[in-house]
Amino acid sequence: MAEADTAREQAHRLLELWSALALRHVALGGACACGAGGVSLRLEDFELDIADYLQDGGERHEDADVAGWFKARAGQPPGSQPLRDLLDGVLSGAVPTAAADWVLPRLERTLRSFAELHGGL
């Protein structure tokens, strides 16, 4: 039970972090969205890319339980908020422990990297 609580605590922290990061903007092309020129995207625009990265890695994982869970969800269309859905699944216990233990550290590294690169929190 302690491992599940730890995964849920981590999922909750990551959900809060993602919620804070998702609305931030990333300036591309040398200008900020606050000024003229350049292109700006919200970090939320990268959500599907992050979810795809995790999905691909999970499907190729050597642990059959992890790979099996990710492969089983591969045919499902992603929701409008795939990272929130994944973290909600961990919080509700719908994501098996092996898959949660694999995905949460990777998602944490990714989100922390975004936070460091784009103004921190």
Side-chain angles (χ1 to χ4, degrees), residues 58-59 61 63-73:
E59 288 178 27
H61 195 275
D63 182 313
D65 292 334
V66 173
W69 186 80
F70 278 97
K71 287 177 183 176
R73 66 191 295 266

Side-chain angles (χ1 to χ4, degrees), residues 1 3-4 6 25 27 41-43 51 61-62 66 71 74 87 91 94 97 99 105 107 113-115:
M1 188 62 127
E3 285 182 31
T6 301
H25 71 272
L41 300 170
R42 289 190 342 202
L43 288 177
H61 195 275
E62 61 194 35
V66 173
K71 287 177 183 176
L87 292 168
L91 290 169
T97 302
L107 181 55
S113 176
F114 270 104

Side-chain angles (χ1 to χ4, degrees), residues 69-93:
W69 186 80
F70 278 97
K71 287 177 183 176
R73 66 191 295 266
Q76 302 169 2
S80 61
Q81 298 180 317
L83 293 182
R84 178 176 294 276
D85 294 345
L86 178 63
L87 292 168
D88 284 344
V90 173
L91 290 169
S92 71

